[in-house]
């Protein structure tokens, strides 16, 4: 328990929630545990998150969005050829997922449970990522660097996201420690880029 | 129990094993159940399959290979443009998997358990499928219809297999009943073909 005179913010509650989830696991962690961790009453926590479900949803969203800002920065780059930007973006996504899975496997498993509980949060996250891919592809089309089989760049963005699922979908986390995985990733990205690039 | 005067073949034992697995589930099904189903002694079954593990492995292989012959026939077609053959092959694989998952969900779940037990059988099956894709791509290169980013057609075959995982890997079976899945499949295949086809 850590008494503190800092104001109780949503962010502090979410940090404490992650710590509690890590310690007790997603099945046992309660709002009372989170309040105890912060040295406040559980009423104070409920003033920020009205239900336990809302708190779990918010902590899941925070976990998913941790790498989104960095990726958005890559998607917005206009100083590089679009194919290079796309490769950078896909590599960064894969790296971020690999680190999440490898650096703290217990926390990763905890979030696996939360992701199943919060499918709408997951869907929003995927929509955000596909939106970033759409930005990259649209810009590539505008500059005449890319060509796509459909008029809508969003359809091709979704196709790129689906085609690289093996390298970002957590169901494949167990395969990310295989030695061959980086070559497999490179082969898929090269084939997709060969498709997207105007020849 | 079905007494029979037919000779006891490996195939008859495998048919009975599938029936027993369907009825009792993979956790409870025994070799004695299989023998009873056939009206023979369990010793007769062991004369064909030396262990329970060997029997489960063989029934898993049979399940996986059920659509392999049809796919091999498609991969060997030389009367069509290679891109058309590749699309046919990927569609047939997706359809076969969807049918397995949708027509008999209980049996599909049973095999999910067996697949986890028999990872070497699964790896051989994947090697067979990637081999068929390699045949298609190699022929497309020979005829000047395809171009690939690497010298080895096998690397691109593996990339095509990985990039379409969402449409054949059983971990995604729950998504195959979504209305959008056929469009998603089409978008990925179109993008891959745009990459492979010589322009």
């Amino acid at each position: 328990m850590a008494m503190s005179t800092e104001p109780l913010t949503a962010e502090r509650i979410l940090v404490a929630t992650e710590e509690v989830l890590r310690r007790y696991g997603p099945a046992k962690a309660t709002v009372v545990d989170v309040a105890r961790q912060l040295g406040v009453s559980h009423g104070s926590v409920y003033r920020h998150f009205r239900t336990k479900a809302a708190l779990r949803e918010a902590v899941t969203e925070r976990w998913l969005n941790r790498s989104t800002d960095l990726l958005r920065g890559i998607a917005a780059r206009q100083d590089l050829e679009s194919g290079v930007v796309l490769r950078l973006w896909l590599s960064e996504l894969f790296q971020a997922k690999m680190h999440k899975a490898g650096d703290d496997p217990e926390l990763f498993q905890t979030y696996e449970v939360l992701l199943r509980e919060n499918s709408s949060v997951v869907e929003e996250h995927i929509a955000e990522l596909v939106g970033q891919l759409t930005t990259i592809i649209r810009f590539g089309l505008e500059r005449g660097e890319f060509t796509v089989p459909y008029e809508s760049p969003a359809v091709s963005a979704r196709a790129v996201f689906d085609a690289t699922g093996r390298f970002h979908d957590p169901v494949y986390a167990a395969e990310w420690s295989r030695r061959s995985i980086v070559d497999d990733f490179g082969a898929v990205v090269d084939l997709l880029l060969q498709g997207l690039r105007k020849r």
Side-chain angles (χ1 to χ4, degrees), chain A residues 125-199:
Chain A
H125 177 65
I126 291 175
E128 161 71 27
L129 294 177
V130 173
Q132 293 187 14
L133 281 170
T134 306
T135 302
I136 299 172
I137 292 175
R138 184 179 294 124
F139 193 64
L141 291 170
E142 281 168 15
R143 295 211 294 198
E145 291 166 345
F146 280 175
T147 175
V148 293
Y150 297 90
E151 254 183 67
S152 152
V155 172
S156 296
R158 177 76 210 198
V160 169
F161 189 76
D162 285 349
T164 51
R166 187 181 177 83
F167 313 104
H168 55 68
D169 192 324
V171 297
Y172 289 108
E175 302 191 6
W176 296 340
S177 48
R178 287 191 193 171
R179 245 187 243 178
S180 57
I181 197 78
V182 176
D183 287 343
D184 291 347
F185 172 74
V188 169
V189 174
D190 286 337
L191 186 56
L192 292 173
L193 281 175
Q194 181 169 298
L196 286 168
R197 279 204 177 107
K198 215 162 192 170
R199 288 179 224 167

Side-chain angles (χ1 to χ4, degrees), chain A residues 16-133:
Chain A
T17 303
E18 187 168 283
E19 180 55 35
V20 164
L21 282 165
R22 188 198 305 266
R23 198 181 307 160
Y24 300 108
K28 289 186 186 162
T30 67
V31 174
V32 171
D33 296 325
V34 174
R36 193 178 295 130
Q37 169 84 9
L38 288 159
V40 302
S41 72
H42 63 275
S44 314
V45 174
Y46 280 122
R47 236 163 279 140
H48 285 83
F49 299 96
R50 287 194 314 163
T51 61
K52 183 180 164 183
L55 179 56
R56 286 164 85 98
E57 193 178 297
V59 81
T60 308
E61 211 171 350
R62 180 171 169 275
W63 160 260
L64 287 176
N65 290 342
R66 216 169 273 176
S67 44
T68 314
D69 291 342
L70 181 61
L71 287 166
R72 197 181 299 115
I74 296 174
R77 286 190 68 161
Q78 308 202 341
D79 55 327
L80 299 169
E81 189 262 337
S82 300
V84 174
V85 175
L86 183 58
R87 186 188 298 275
L88 260 182
W89 191 94
L90 290 168
S91 299
E92 180 55 41
L93 177 62
F94 186 27
Q95 296 262 343
K97 296 273 181 167
M98 273 202 284
H99 278 299
K100 275 182 178 173
D103 296 349
D104 197 339
E106 265 183 47
L107 190 63
F108 191 75
Q109 275 164 31
T110 293
Y111 276 105
E112 286 294 272
V113 176
L114 293 174
L115 294 175
R116 282 193 287 276
E117 270 174 30
N118 295 284
S119 58
S120 68
V121 175
V122 173
E123 273 171 38
E124 275 168 44
H125 177 65
I126 291 175
E128 161 71 27
L129 294 177
V130 173
Q132 293 187 14
L133 281 170

